[in-house]
Amino acid sequence: MADVLEIRPQESAEENAQQMTDGFHLVIDALKANDIDTIFGLVGIPITDLARLAQAEGMRFIGFRHEQHAGNAAAIAGYMTQKPGICLTVSAPGFLNGLTALANATTNCFPMILISGSSEREIVDLQQGDYEEMDQLNAAKPYAKAAYRVLHAEDIGIGVARAIRAAVSGRPGGVYLDLPAKLLSQTIDAVKAKQSLVRVIDAAPRQLPAPDSVKRAIDLLKGAKRPLVLLGKGAAYSQADKEIRAFIEKTGIPYLPMSMAKGLLPDTHEQSASAARSFVLAESDVVVLVGARLNWLLSHGKGKTWGKPKQFVQIDISAQEMDSNVAIAAPIVGDIGSCVASLLDQVGDNFPQPPKEWLDAVNEKKNKNLEKMAATLAKSPSPMNFHSALRVLRDIVKQNPDINVVNEGANTLDYARAIIDMYQPRKRFDSGTWGVMGIGMGFAIGAAVTSGKQVLAIEGDSAFGFSGMELETICRYQLPVCTVIFNNNGVYRGTDVNPTGGKDVAPTVFVKDARYDKMIEAFGGIGYNVTTPEELEKALKEAIASGKPTLINAVIDEAAGTESGRLTNLNPQSAAMKK
Ligand code: ADP
């Protein structure tokens, strides 16, 4: 931290007695003092100079076309690195656009900081009608893990430190930092400014589990007849990859990864029970949740999905998460690395392996389902459908195991998650806890910038629409992102008709035979239009070898796709419409 702040002389020689700096410089110095080197954002009043200065001071500023995508890029960068991703926006509408991403980050436990410029307090608080007037701090509070405002330049250092610690400590989340325009231009004595900087020490301290909680879990596991481990994205985030793998392999327990935990162990691992998901959820008797919440994605831990009665061990950094949906028999509260290491200490080398009948039953189910899937994937219908196209993508990911996969859509998400095996941790980024659309290009840019590696964004045509303009951003920064659009002419599919016979198309239908590949060509990227698995494979190989911005418009059967994908149960339909 010692040399991060240069002393900047004032321009006017007469006032040179004291060397001064200002809020703009201090914000950048405070971020750099904490090794933050990238800002995702969109410039405008009052933060344009902040972005310019960040770049001039050696940080990377990645400029977007819409703040939501800058925010999503920051959030995924936070998830990949355990350092808060930074999103910078203008006031009111820019802030609100960014807030969607901040709320999504908080919901998903991704660490990020949304920094927005804001109007003057005196005018906002008296509601006197300032330019882009808005009480942003209070608007952010319900959707953020924490929200702070800095009013004095000498507090910038502590404000940034507080935001960083809040974002990454305990359960990670989104933090809002409000910087009024006046703060940025405030001047301050440079020596005092330098002294006000704070480098956060041990931003996310280890949280060791209580030994009796570990023992309770081990006792429960020892008595289990049909144990199962469920890995969530908290487990992937924790970067305790080795410990988690050792725990699974030493106990011999079958495991299921949630979608973003795929690849924490390779999906081809012999203990993976993914292909027998419904069976193991229903039949298991003791389930160890590692960084996974029993929310809607897991049917709240009850009902038909969970079948037979069971007991849960839950490992989570948030004590409050325990008993959120069902009773947790053995809660272990702490950071996943420490918790799994403590469990491993108890497991040793001679832990009783799960009964053979259980492992045989899981394997039998798994092999049957894998065979069924292989038969479906082997078909090559014309026109191409989700399965025949995804077979090609599956093989490409297998050949390029360090590729980053971004995935959103309804059917495109459901099928891709099930069909594409992942081989490395933190390589799959998707719709997450909200099951949201619109993360596509933001996550793709965040992943490409953070890893410097190839990204494959697998998008439904509807999902892509939310962030499609960021193709220009991808081309501007020449990012190695290959976007594949599963184009079936509409939301879910393109075959719905307007029952009145009127001139408007049905609510789910898009322009027929749209050429999304032409969009990327407008910005100098390379577009492909493909209609068969062979063409798709050729285009994909070429696209990935080029390392350039590319987009493949994959035309699939417009009748392929079901309403709401696998979430049909969440989509109430009127009885009249069903007729
Ligand atoms: P998924 O959607 O994959 O099931 P969730 O987002 O529901 O995963 O769950 C992630 C959980 O992981 C959250 O409850 C969060 O508190 C927890 N978590 C995140 N990071 C850590 C960590 N380092 N140690 C322990 N728990 C963590």
Side-chain angles (χ1 to χ4, degrees):
M1 173 180 132
D3 53 3
V4 288
L5 182 71
E6 292 167 43
I7 295 185
R8 293 166 188 84
Q10 272 218 333
E11 277 163 28
S12 136
E14 304 89 83
E15 293 168 36
N16 215 4
Q18 204 184 7
Q19 290 187 317
M20 305 293 283
T21 187
D22 61 21
F24 284 107
H25 286 88
L26 257 177
V27 172
I28 302 303
D29 292 337
L31 293 171
K32 284 178 69 178
N34 286 286
D35 305 325
I36 289 172
D37 55 13
T38 305
I39 295 177
F40 302 94
L42 206 165
V43 298
I45 295 170
I47 49 91
T48 310
D49 276 348
L50 197 58
R52 286 199 183 107
L53 189 65
Q55 193 172 55
E57 296 277 314
M59 293 180 82
R60 239 185 138 186
F61 181 83
I62 307 292
F64 284 69
R65 305 302 296 261
H66 188 289
E67 294 85 350
Q68 187 178 322
H69 314 307
N72 284 329
I76 213 63
Y79 171 73
M80 293 168 80
T81 61
Q82 297 185 331
K83 271 203 294 191
I86 307 292
C87 174
L88 181 65
T89 80
V90 301
S91 34
F95 154 78
L96 283 173
N97 289 343
L99 188 58
T100 306
L102 189 77
N104 189 53
T106 305
T107 302
N108 281 279
C109 314
F110 299 156
M112 76 170 272
I113 303 174
L114 174 67
I115 302 179
S116 297
S118 61
S119 308
E120 300 320 328
R121 297 301 330 145
E122 300 81 345
I123 304 178
V124 174
D125 290 349
L126 272 173
Q127 298 183 18
Q128 292 174 313
D130 205 355
Y131 166 75
E132 294 190 352
E133 176 180 298
M134 188 180 202
D135 184 359
Q136 296 169 197
L137 183 70
N138 280 311
K141 275 181 185 164
Y143 307 107
K145 184 179 170 195
Y148 307 112
R149 175 186 295 131
V150 183
L151 288 174
H152 303 293
E154 63 262 35
D155 292 333
I156 288 174
I158 203 74
V160 167
R162 208 153 158 57
I164 291 171
R165 192 177 286 282
V168 296
S169 61
R171 170 182 279 177
V175 176
Y176 175 59
L177 192 60
D178 192 80
L179 303 182
K182 235 193 237 169
L183 168 84
L184 296 170
S185 55
Q186 259 178 43
T187 53
I188 172 174
D189 172 69
V191 175
K192 226 169 104 187
K194 189 171 176 180
Q195 288 164 350
S196 73
L197 293 178
V198 177
R199 183 177 171 90
V200 179
I201 307 296
D202 195 10
R206 288 168 64 208
Q207 288 181 226
L208 304 182
D212 53 338
S213 70
V214 175
K215 184 171 178 308
R216 194 183 295 122
I218 289 286
D219 289 347
L220 192 58
L221 271 179
K222 278 184 177 157
K225 299 266 178 305
R226 300 180 305 281
L228 174 70
V229 173
L230 223 155
L231 302 173
K233 60 180 164 325
Y237 173 80
S238 74
Q239 299 193 13
D241 309 341
K242 273 200 203 116
E243 291 86 346
I244 291 170
R245 186 171 186 149
F247 174 72
I248 286 174
E249 289 181 346
K250 286 197 168 168
T251 57
I253 301 175
Y255 74 94
L256 272 185
M258 297 297 287
S259 68
M260 280 180 61
K262 278 166 69 74
L264 186 42
L265 280 78
D267 279 338
T268 46
H269 193 283
E270 60 175 359
Q271 283 172 255
S272 167
S274 288
R277 189 172 194 275
S278 311
F279 176 78
V280 290
L281 287 180
E283 295 295 319
S284 51
D285 66 345
V286 174
V287 179
V288 185
L289 299 163
V290 188
R293 288 169 284 186
L294 285 174
N295 54 20
W296 71 282
L297 289 163
L298 284 169
S299 309
H300 304 281
K302 51 197 170 196
K304 233 171 70 193
T305 307
W306 290 90
K308 296 200 171 136
K310 57 205 78 212
Q311 291 184 291
F312 289 99
V313 175
Q314 183 160 22
I315 303 177
D316 205 290
I317 204 150
S318 165
Q320 227 181 326
E321 190 54 41
M322 307 300 158
D323 310 319
S324 60
N325 285 270
V326 295
I328 300 298
I332 309 181
V333 176
D335 75 272
I336 286 169
S338 302
C339 293
V340 176
S342 301
L343 282 171
L344 264 178
D345 282 347
Q346 305 283 320
V347 163
D349 288 328
N350 300 312
F351 198 74
Q353 298 295 291
K356 187 168 175 306
E357 307 83 79
W358 172 234
L359 299 181
D360 287 348
V362 175
N363 279 331
E364 191 187 325
K365 191 77 196 167
K366 180 173 151 179
N367 292 336
K368 218 192 250 162
N369 286 344
L370 284 174
E371 267 167 41
K372 242 196 261 168
M373 179 60 95
T376 311
L377 291 177
K379 289 183 193 146
S380 253
S382 179
M384 183 159 72
N385 65 6
F386 284 101
H387 287 88
S388 54
L390 282 167
R391 178 187 68 216
V392 177
L393 267 59
R394 176 201 63 180
D395 294 345
I396 289 288
V397 173
K398 190 174 181 186
Q399 290 153 22
N400 301 272
D402 65 346
I403 208 165
N404 296 288
V405 172
V406 171
N407 189 200
E408 62 175 339
N411 295 279
T412 307
L413 176 76
D414 292 334
Y415 290 127
R417 184 181 52 224
I419 292 169
I420 298 179
D421 286 330
M422 301 301 297
Y423 301 88
Q424 293 180 12
R426 295 168 295 284
K427 292 286 186 186
R428 186 186 153 87
F429 316 110
D430 66 24
S431 305
T433 303
W434 267 345
V436 75
M437 304 284 145
I439 48 86
M441 298 300 102
F443 276 10
I445 293 167
V449 168
T450 305
S451 68
K453 296 220 162 85
Q454 180 70 42
V455 175
L456 177 62
I458 307 168
E459 300 275 311
D461 51 349
S462 161
F464 172 72
F466 291 84
S467 64
M469 191 62 203
E470 300 299 341
L471 285 181
E472 191 275 331
T473 310
I474 291 170
C475 291
R476 191 170 2 119
Y477 293 99
Q478 282 297 298
L479 298 173
V481 175
C482 174
T483 303
V484 179
I485 298 185
F486 280 61
N487 187 356
N488 62 357
N489 292 341
V491 184
Y492 311 129
R493 58 181 177 264
T495 47
D496 278 12
V497 288
N498 178 343
T500 70
K503 72 177 169 47
D504 291 342
V505 296
T508 53
V509 167
F510 292 153
V511 165
K512 297 271 181 209
D513 307 322
R515 291 288 302 274
Y516 292 100
D517 49 311
K518 300 272 182 203
M519 281 178 70
I520 200 163
E521 289 173 1
F523 307 115
I526 306 165
Y528 301 88
N529 185 54
V530 304
T531 57
T532 63
E534 294 71 30
E535 287 172 2
L536 175 58
E537 184 181 352
K538 184 166 176 288
L540 257 174
K541 285 191 166 156
E542 229 175 85
I544 289 172
S546 77
K548 294 208 166 108
T550 48
L551 187 146
I552 302 174
N553 184 53
V555 180
I556 58 166
D557 186 352
E558 71 168 355
T562 54
E563 183 93 5
S564 309
R566 286 184 52 195
L567 302 183
T568 314
N569 60 322
L570 297 182
N571 193 10
Q573 290 181 307
S574 83
M577 298 291 277
K578 276 185 191 162
K579 278 184 194 156

